[in-house]
Amino acid sequence: MRAAVMYGAGDVRVEDRPDPKIVKPADAVVRVVAACVCGSDLWPYQSMPVTDTGRPMGHEFLGVVEETGAEVTGLKTGDLVLAPFTYSDNTCDYCAKGLHISCRNGGRYGFDGVDGGQGEAVRVPYADGTLVKLPVAADSALLPSLLTLSDVMTTGHHGAVTAGVGRGDTVLVVGDGAVGLCAVIAAKRLGAERIVLAGRHEARTELGRDFGATDVVAERGEEGLARIRELTGGVEKVIEAVGTRQALDTALGAVLDGGTISRLGAPQYELGPLGRAEFMRNITLTGGASPARAYIEQLLPEVLDGTITPGRVFDRTFALDRAPDAYRAMADRQVLKALIAP
Ligand SMILES: [Zn+2]
């Protein structure tokens, strides 16, 4: 099969790899129908050390079940399924409390002999626990929005849930990438009345307005903070969807004492302010990697009936062989989120 493999920063290749086969009885092999490039794929694209072996890429995909292992009971050949961005057994203590990202038996695509999603097929471990059957045909116009439930929309939702967004709230979303825009959708559906989106890429913030943002702040740093305070007087709920220290500082500067910051962006820093100043302000720092599997059933009906349309974050489709172009276009910020069609 063909699949995208990263060999170092800026070096993504599409190459022939062994066709996935059932290895363990709980596995399924899924033929990929749609996949995409994640904002988090851009971090290794900028910084990954050169490797000879390469790393299969992609963790967001949906596709058709081709083969199932002997223990798989809930899926059959021909089912259209969605894969959350990590696999999980859906039975351990962490999964039972909805923290599938920490599954005792879980793991990541592209590691430990598991294929990446940016390829023609994937062996999915713990298929019964991981995959969600989709009640649409493989040519449905809803596929892009359904694909966002693999990661980006469920991640935005995680931000709104962990920030405690509720009816009538004022929420600040820092970042106009696909996760930030999905966080706007999530905050609105949980009842936020005022949603301030901090981002300076106009096409993206316009989409954010369509999704429910009531205000856009394009300025950065102190100027941006002043504008946020002027608009809101400070906010109690902040969703940080970038991952840089600057974005965290914006969140800390904008949040009111006693407020909550939920972090969604994969942090590109190890140290942050956790000292006396933050202690005195009673700020709650929450968020983290989304347990996507826990949220899919909850959001699926609203994608199916068109209440939410997160698939609008995809602004260009690339054939699998053009995956290197998809990475480049996203890294250059010419494309918000690239869909990959094998
Ligand atoms: Zn588990």
Side-chain angles (χ1 to χ4, degrees), residues 180-215:
L181 298 180
C182 286
V184 170
I185 296 176
K188 183 180 161 79
R189 77 175 273 292
L190 290 177
E193 195 172 281
R194 189 143 192 216
I195 303 170
V196 180
L197 175 61
R200 56 180 183 178
H201 194 294
E202 208 179 319
R204 299 176 185 192
T205 54
E206 280 307 304
L207 183 55
R209 286 187 195 272
D210 279 2
F211 284 159
T214 52
D215 304 88

Side-chain angles (χ1 to χ4, degrees), residues 88-95 100 103-105:
S88 53
D89 58 15
N90 207 16
T91 55
C92 76
D93 53 339
Y94 279 131
C95 287
H100 296 70
C103 177
R104 305 275 178 192
N105 293 303

Side-chain angles (χ1 to χ4, degrees), residues 148-299:
T148 67
L149 298 180
S150 180
D151 184 346
V152 60
M153 182 62 221
T154 41
T155 293
H157 180 67
H158 187 54
V161 168
T162 53
V165 174
R167 202 148 294 285
D169 277 344
T170 295
V171 180
L172 169 67
V173 176
V174 181
D176 59 9
V179 169
L181 298 180
C182 286
V184 170
I185 296 176
K188 183 180 161 79
R189 77 175 273 292
L190 290 177
E193 195 172 281
R194 189 143 192 216
I195 303 170
V196 180
L197 175 61
R200 56 180 183 178
H201 194 294
E202 208 179 319
R204 299 176 185 192
T205 54
E206 280 307 304
L207 183 55
R209 286 187 195 272
D210 279 2
F211 284 159
T214 52
D215 304 88
V216 169
V217 173
E219 298 87 349
R220 280 190 173 181
E222 280 307 319
E223 209 183 337
L225 279 177
R227 181 80 186 119
I228 291 163
R229 289 194 196 104
E230 181 186 306
L231 284 166
T232 64
V235 283
E236 282 187 351
K237 318 268 166 88
V238 181
I239 301 171
E240 191 280 284
V242 181
T244 60
R245 180 57 202 274
Q246 184 186 35
L248 177 63
D249 288 342
T250 298
L252 282 163
V255 74
L256 289 166
D257 287 10
T260 302
I261 297 170
S262 175
R263 293 185 306 159
L264 298 181
Q268 301 307 302
Y269 51 86
E270 289 297 330
L271 299 172
L274 281 174
R276 188 179 167 87
E278 293 68 39
F279 176 81
M280 293 306 291
R281 296 184 60 201
N282 283 281
I283 293 164
T284 299
L285 198 57
T286 180
S290 167
R293 181 63 185 80
Y295 296 132
I296 291 173
E297 276 103 347
Q298 202 179 333
L299 297 171

